[in-house]
Amino acid sequence: MHRYIFRRLLLLIPVMMGVTFIIFTMMYFTPGDPARIMLGETAPEADVIRLREELGLDDPFLIQFGRYVKNAVIHQDIGRSYTSNRPVVGEITTRFPATLKLAALGVLVSVAIGIPTGIISATKQYSIFDNVAMVLALIGVSMPNFWQGLMTMLVFSVYLGWFPSSGFSTPMHWVLPAVTIGTASCAIVTRMTRSSMLEVIRQDYIRTARAKGQVESKIINQHALKNALIPVITVVGLQFGYLLGGAILTETIFAIPGVGRLMVEAVLRRDLPIVMGGVLFIAVTFSIVNLCVDILYAFVDPRIKSQYK
Amino acid sequence: MFKNKKLLVLLSMVLVFALFAVGCSQPADDTATPGTDDTNEPADEVTVKEELIVGQGADAVTLDPHSTNDQPSSRVSKQIYETLVAQNENMEIEPSLAESWESIDDTTVEFKLKQGVKFHNGEELKASDVKFTILRALDSSHIGHIVGQIDGEKIEVIDDYTIRLSTKEPFAPLLAHLAHTAMAIMNEKAVTEGGEDYGQNPVGTGPFKFNNWVIGDSIELVKFDEYHGEPAKLKKVTFRNIAENTTRTIELETGGIDIAYDIPPTDVSRVEENSDLVLQRAPSFSTSYIGFNAQKKPYDDVRVRQAINYAIDMASIIEAVYQGVGAPAKGPLGPNVFAGHQGLEEYGFNVEKAKELMADAGYADGFDTTIWTNENQQRMDIAEIVQNQLKAININTEVKVMEWGAYLEGTAAGEHDMFILGWVTVTGDPDYGLYALFHSSQFGTGGNRTFWSNDRVDELLDAARVETDPSKREEYYLEAQEIIRDEAPWVFTWIGENLAGVQKNVKGFTQHPAGHHSLHGVYFE
């Protein structure tokens, strides 16, 4: 198991190298001169040329890329933001907690609501509860994030005054964004749990358990749920990774200073160091979340554990 | 039992992970608390509120005025720093750090500095700081062009409180340029000590000093007790970054912020109808225009350009796109810019006349063209309406929406037919609003993306730039604007308006046409 984890962590190195190269290339060949974008349309050409020189933007692609990799590997320095001149690492680490918290709360909402709803739906298939839950899940998946965010804000902050409308400082501030970001994932988790559960409760060993006279709640919670959880864990893990990288809309609507917004602003400003740093950071986090999911499999299914060598 | 245990382990792992995720964000949380915390707890104190929270659409980039020239940063810097001279809301030049000034000759001005002015770090303002600041500004690729006319080698410090600035050639709008927020006077010692991180620890002479910055979220300023002028009435000012327009309005409605900058046109009625809020409207320096590529056929023909001006119903665009905010533009400059020609005749909506002109130019059957815009909702809406209206004179228009960087590059290279862009005459001086846009030396990246030129206009703009007599300058600019109006390198579109939503108990707030509003005199009732 330890060897497996170590091997997986080693695999992060080629992943990071690949991501670095791809993003650097894409940013380099995207039309639009970073210096011109930073200075705006009103700045004279001479100033733009000067800034290009200062940032070393006139060098050929390979030299720029080489310099980036050299600084990153040898000096552990991934640069400073072109616009704010703050170190990239600091810029990302000050913003990452908000994004992590938002994603974690979103996953919490989706798991806390999604799994129980999925289980009940499966055990009471075609009941009113099941039908209502599935319709709600469909709405949850289809509802655009930004619209839902604005609506919840309108209802719960403006009309009812229960929660503050934006910011992310106190637990009261967390509720609306967490629900907004968690809704779609919650719907996916519900549907996944339900279908996986439905498959499992038709298995022979469940029938055997029933025949032995086992209490229904134990059959569901102990025998069925554990086997039904594997695909659900996969989905939750993917959702968590997705929320980390895709929290941008929720962050924007609720004015949460997270990595998603930082990245979008950086792309628009062609702030290459921030984009590179941000993508690397998200790629690494995503890989680690995936690794955690794989480790979790082993706990749920001993057969998988035996394969981790 | 054994199986149960494993499930327990799994669940506890999830829980631990969630706790870890929530827990590790605590430090950022602590710093985020000031400013935002009290927004949901209604103050039960009887005393008057002394802490103002302002919401704007983006976080400041840096508080080093020489490292950026963006509005959100200027709005914060304006409270921290001061300039040699200042421009009030009516664009009149007033003494600020310089208490008086006089022209020595055509190119040299002598400034007498106010004595006893303290920087936030305790240092006293000296003429050497002014010299240091201007030299540093000249060296900046971000704002160098604003002071580019000053000759760095001829800055002369006469004594601690007297300094002479010279321009390379006579430059009439010098004072307006010195009043630009980018020309904030900085302390040499603070800048040198701050090094690369100075932008995170700004030191100025203004009524508020920098206190704390939660990157991406909020900036907190506190009252500077040793301020040389009348002390600020507020104890604390917090700038919150609320990017989404609607969220900013909602935050204002729910009392989370006291002033919301840039209320979007769609939310105007919401704010107006709310009895707790006041909507402040004031003309701004911004303008929108549709430019032609005057060197490309058929836009090299003035009749075609005029025909399109006649064929577009600007009033309906203002109503539909800007929901009545702002006004149709008559010429290139708004009414609050010095020498902005308000006697110009508006083209007006006249399809018949447009058809005549098109026929005269030999385009009775119209032509195919494209109109470029970036991903700006209002500009995209305008493009669509224009596309529709131009059908009446048989012009078949394709709307091309481009990403900002590519858009700037393409229009600078002259690849476009028509394009929609804006301009802000930040200094309130016509030189800033005309030279870059219409002088033949500024083709492409310089600002003149229509590639239109006129010898007489070049002559007038050059002459007005060096003319020191204001009435003569005005004459030159009025004539230039008449020619520009008649030659129509633009479809004159829209003159902007600053919209701020303010809580009723906030007093003393006025908007500056350039958008960087001073909060010095603001107080709560």
Side-chain angles (χ1 to χ4, degrees):
Chain A
M1 186 78 177
H2 295 302
R3 270 181 59 198
Y4 173 77
I5 295 174
F6 180 68
R7 217 169 52 225
R8 283 286 299 268
L9 286 175
L10 266 187
L11 273 178
L12 272 180
I13 296 171
V15 167
M16 283 167 73
M17 276 164 58
V19 167
T20 310
F21 184 74
I22 292 170
I23 300 300
F24 200 95
T25 314
M26 280 168 67
M27 287 297 287
Y28 183 86
F29 290 106
T30 308
D33 173 6
R36 168 57 66 186
I37 292 168
M38 262 176 264
L39 298 183
E41 74 256 36
T42 59
E45 189 62 9
D47 284 353
V48 177
I49 293 171
R50 186 150 57 156
L51 186 63
R52 287 184 64 82
E53 273 169 19
E54 280 168 27
L55 299 175
L57 295 173
D58 288 324
D59 296 335
F61 170 74
L62 281 178
I63 293 186
Q64 285 192 43
F65 182 68
R67 189 167 51 214
Y68 184 83
V69 174
K70 190 180 124 198
N71 284 336
V73 175
I74 299 177
H75 308 294
Q76 283 85 48
D77 176 16
I78 51 171
R80 280 175 177 257
S81 157
Y82 283 168
T83 46
S84 71
N85 201 29
R86 284 189 283 261
V88 173
V89 175
E91 192 93 74
I92 292 169
T93 47
T94 49
R95 297 217 189 192
F96 190 65
T99 302
L100 187 63
K101 185 155 72 178
L102 184 63
L105 287 168
V107 166
L108 212 65
V109 167
S110 67
V111 168
I113 300 173
I115 293 184
T117 316
I119 295 172
I120 300 173
S121 280
T123 51
K124 297 189 178 359
Q125 199 185 3
Y126 304 134
S127 66
I128 292 179
F129 181 91
D130 181 29
N131 285 326
V132 172
M134 284 309 104
V135 170
L136 285 180
L138 194 66
I139 295 174
V141 173
S142 342
M143 200 160 39
N145 217 323
F146 61 90
W147 182 81
Q148 189 203 349
L150 285 175
M151 286 305 124
T152 49
M153 204 188 280
L154 207 61
V155 174
F156 294 104
S157 324
V158 179
Y159 297 135
L160 299 174
W162 290 355
F163 302 105
S165 55
S166 69
F168 209 53
S169 47
T170 66
M172 288 300 272
H173 285 93
W174 303 348
V175 178
L176 296 185
V179 170
T180 303
I181 202 170
T183 304
S185 317
C186 174
I188 294 170
V189 170
T190 308
R191 293 178 69 93
M192 200 67 213
T193 313
R194 178 179 178 270
S195 67
S196 172
M197 229 10 211
L198 279 174
E199 213 170 281
V200 170
I201 51 177
R202 283 174 175 69
Q203 301 277 329
D204 288 345
Y205 66 88
I206 299 290
R207 195 176 309 130
T208 310
R210 286 213 176 98
K212 280 163 66 187
Q214 181 64 281
V215 196
E216 186 67 15
S217 65
K218 279 205 169 177
I219 294 174
I220 298 300
N221 294 333
Q222 284 184 15
H223 298 272
L225 181 60
K226 263 190 66 181
N227 287 294
L229 266 183
I230 296 214
V232 177
I233 290 174
T234 315
V235 167
V236 170
L238 284 176
Q239 284 295 316
F240 185 64
Y242 165 75
L243 293 184
L244 277 178
I248 162 75
L249 282 178
T250 313
E251 286 176 8
T252 307
I253 292 168
F254 291 99
I256 299 166
V259 179
R261 261 173 76 195
L262 175 74
M263 293 283 296
V264 171
E265 284 161 17
V267 170
L268 292 176
R269 287 175 180 158
R270 295 286 187 286
D271 196 339
L272 182 76
I274 297 279
V275 177
M276 295 294 299
V279 173
L280 270 181
F281 204 76
I282 289 174
V284 170
T285 322
F286 200 92
S287 306
I288 291 175
V289 168
N290 267 325
L291 177 60
C292 292
V293 168
D294 288 349
I295 296 169
L296 268 182
Y297 286 161
F299 279 93
V300 182
D301 190 342
R303 285 171 306 180
I304 296 177
K305 191 175 181 181
S306 66
Q307 289 166 15
Y308 287 172
K309 279 175 187 154
Chain B
M1 193 61 211
F2 178 66
K3 282 183 177 175
N4 245 344
K5 212 194 240 168
K6 276 192 177 169
L7 197 65
L8 210 67
V9 170
L10 169 71
L11 287 175
S12 47
M13 267 183 77
V14 172
L15 199 71
V16 165
F17 182 67
L19 280 176
F20 162 76
V22 175
C24 75
S25 54
Q26 218 50 50
D29 225 44
D30 288 342
T31 45
T33 317
T36 43
D37 209 6
D38 6 27
T39 55
N40 13 321
E41 289 163 23
D44 37 33
E45 74 242 60
V46 197
T47 51
V48 177
K49 230 176 124 183
E50 288 179 312
E51 188 190 325
L52 183 83
I53 303 171
V54 178
Q56 62 170 342
D59 196 17
V61 173
T62 166
L63 295 177
D64 175 353
H66 295 169
S67 298
T68 187
N69 190 18
D70 68 302
Q71 188 70 283
S73 305
S74 305
R75 284 170 167 173
V76 181
S77 291
K78 172 102 169 186
Q79 323 306 327
I80 301 172
Y81 296 101
E82 288 173 304
T83 43
L84 277 183
V85 294
Q87 258 171 336
N88 64 15
E89 283 74 17
N90 303 318
M91 300 318 288
E92 294 149 355
I93 300 281
E94 289 176 340
S96 180
L97 291 177
E99 54 185 9
S100 66
W101 56 91
E102 60 173 323
S103 291
I104 305 294
D105 56 48
D106 269 2
T107 56
T108 310
V109 185
E110 182 178 285
F111 294 88
K112 287 260 181 238
L113 301 184
K114 199 169 170 181
Q115 299 197 12
V117 174
K118 284 269 170 69
F119 280 102
H120 300 155
N121 62 353
E123 295 276 308
E124 198 194 340
L125 170 76
K126 297 274 172 64
S128 58
D129 291 312
V130 178
K131 181 175 179 181
F132 167 79
T133 304
I134 292 173
L135 287 177
R136 188 172 183 266
L138 280 168
D139 207 32
S140 154
S141 49
H142 291 266
I143 57 112
H145 61 284
I146 293 167
V147 280
Q149 296 293 328
I150 297 178
D151 189 342
E153 285 168 15
K154 285 194 191 154
I155 300 176
E156 209 180 328
V157 174
I158 310 287
D159 61 49
D160 272 358
Y161 303 101
T162 314
I163 187 165
R164 281 184 187 177
L165 302 181
S166 297
T167 48
K168 291 167 191 156
E169 50 189 43
F171 184 60
L174 177 67
L175 291 179
H177 281 238
L178 288 175
H180 193 288
T181 46
M183 283 314 301
I185 302 300
M186 297 149 83
N187 177 238
E188 183 169 2
K189 191 175 158 212
V191 174
T192 319
E193 282 175 358
E196 283 205 281
D197 295 319
Y198 174 77
Q200 267 65 59
N201 303 291
V203 172
T205 56
F208 294 98
K209 62 177 180 183
F210 174 78
N211 188 41
N212 186 32
W213 190 345
V214 183
I215 309 287
D217 184 65
S218 59
I219 296 176
E220 192 184 284
L221 311 177
V222 292
K223 180 180 172 179
F224 177 45
D225 291 323
E226 293 172 76
Y227 181 59
H228 60 92
E230 192 182 323
K233 291 170 180 139
L234 296 166
K235 278 202 172 138
K236 195 159 108 181
V237 173
T238 306
F239 282 89
R240 276 187 61 196
N241 166 19
I242 307 174
E244 179 62 31
N245 287 333
T246 314
T247 310
R248 208 159 54 242
T249 310
I250 289 178
E251 197 66 4
L252 181 74
E253 284 180 290
T254 54
I257 53 179
D258 301 303
I259 300 178
Y261 288 167
D262 307 324
I263 296 287
T266 40
D267 285 343
V268 163
S269 54
R270 272 188 88 94
V271 178
E272 275 177 340
E273 284 160 18
N274 190 325
S275 59
D276 295 329
L277 306 175
V278 178
L279 182 77
Q280 287 201 4
R281 305 178 73 142
S284 76
F285 284 146
S286 58
T287 168
S288 280
Y289 64 92
I290 304 170
F292 301 108
N293 188 341
Q295 298 207 342
K296 230 185 189 180
K297 271 193 178 320
Y299 301 109
D300 55 347
D301 189 327
V302 62
R303 289 168 295 187
V304 172
R305 302 195 298 259
Q306 287 172 337
I308 293 177
N309 261 291
Y310 281 118
I312 297 174
D313 179 9
M314 210 43 80
S316 71
I317 289 185
I318 307 288
E319 208 39 59
V321 178
Y322 296 101
Q323 319 235 342
V325 171
K330 293 174 175 173
L333 297 177
N336 49 6
V337 176
F338 168 69
H341 198 331
Q342 293 317 295
L344 290 175
E345 193 192 338
E346 229 175 290
Y347 271 92
F349 183 45
N350 188 342
V351 179
E352 287 315 309
K353 185 128 194 208
K355 280 183 180 164
E356 260 172 48
L357 285 162
M358 286 289 279
D360 278 358
Y363 292 101
D365 297 333
F367 51 82
D368 289 347
T369 190
T370 53
I371 183 163
W372 286 20
T373 168
N374 64 317
E375 296 155 312
N376 171 310
Q377 193 56 50
Q378 287 163 340
R379 289 180 192 162
M380 291 192 290
D381 291 346
I382 292 177
E384 231 171 88
I385 298 174
V386 167
Q387 179 187 38
N388 230 342
Q389 293 184 344
L390 290 186
K391 280 183 194 156
I393 53 170
N394 300 321
I395 297 179
N396 191 11
T397 320
E398 184 200 337
V399 176
K400 201 170 161 192
V401 180
M402 298 174 80
E403 189 274 334
W404 183 235
Y407 183 64
L408 283 183
E409 209 159 83
T411 47
E415 292 162 7
H416 55 287
D417 293 338
M418 283 198 272
F419 66 105
I420 308 178
L421 210 59
W423 190 265
V424 186
T425 310
V426 269
T427 57
D429 189 277
D431 179 69
Y432 204 99
L434 294 178
Y435 200 89
L437 296 163
F438 298 106
H439 197 278
S440 62
S441 65
Q442 306 294 311
F443 278 173
T445 48
N448 185 347
R449 289 164 198 267
T450 60
F451 297 91
W452 171 84
S453 68
N454 177 294
D455 292 343
R456 179 67 185 150
V457 170
D458 277 3
E459 220 173 88
L460 287 165
L461 294 181
D462 284 329
R465 192 170 240 206
V466 296
E467 178 57 62
T468 43
D469 177 4
S471 62
K472 272 199 179 150
R473 282 190 84 209
E474 187 171 7
E475 221 172 87
Y476 294 153
Y477 282 126
L478 292 180
E479 190 187 335
Q481 288 171 77
E482 274 163 19
I483 299 171
I484 293 166
R485 184 260 172 217
D486 293 341
E487 286 279 313
W490 289 3
V491 177
F492 305 103
T493 308
W494 178 74
I495 297 292
E497 202 176 354
N498 280 327
L499 297 178
V502 182
Q503 300 284 353
K504 220 166 195 172
N505 58 347
V506 174
K507 301 288 167 194
F509 175 70
T510 41
Q511 297 188 87
H512 192 282
H516 38 70
H517 321 302
S518 166
L519 301 173
H520 185 187
V522 176
Y523 60 96
F524 285 95
E525 202 171 48

